[in-house]
Amino acid sequence: MKNFKEKVVAFLRDEEGLELSEYAVAGSLIVLGTVAAFQLLGGNIATVIDSIADIIVPPAA
C-alpha cells in the first residue's frame, strides 16, 4: 500500500503533463488567432494572392 501511495504522490507532483497541456492551449490560441485574422482580412488576402498569381503566371487568353 505504501508503494501505491508513493506512486500517486509522484504522479501528482509530475508536471510534465501540465507542460503538454500548456503547449496545446498555446497552439490552439495561435490557430484561433490565425483563423480570426483570415476571417477579418480574407477578401484582402485573396485579392493580394490573386494579383501575385497573375504576375507570376499571366492568365490565359
Side-chain angles (χ1 to χ4, degrees):
M1 185 68 173
K2 185 176 182 180
N3 190 19
F4 178 73
K5 183 180 176 183
E6 290 172 358
K7 287 183 180 183
V8 170
V9 170
F11 175 75
L12 293 175
R13 289 187 180 164
D14 184 21
E15 294 183 7
E16 189 171 330
L18 181 62
E19 293 172 4
L20 179 62
S21 64
E22 290 171 350
Y23 283 123
V25 169
S28 63
L29 289 175
I30 291 170
V31 168
L32 182 64
T34 304
V35 168
F38 273 101
Q39 289 293 323
L40 293 173
L41 303 172
N44 294 338
I45 292 172
T47 302
V48 170
I49 291 174
D50 287 340
S51 64
I52 292 172
D54 289 341
I55 292 169
I56 294 173
V57 180

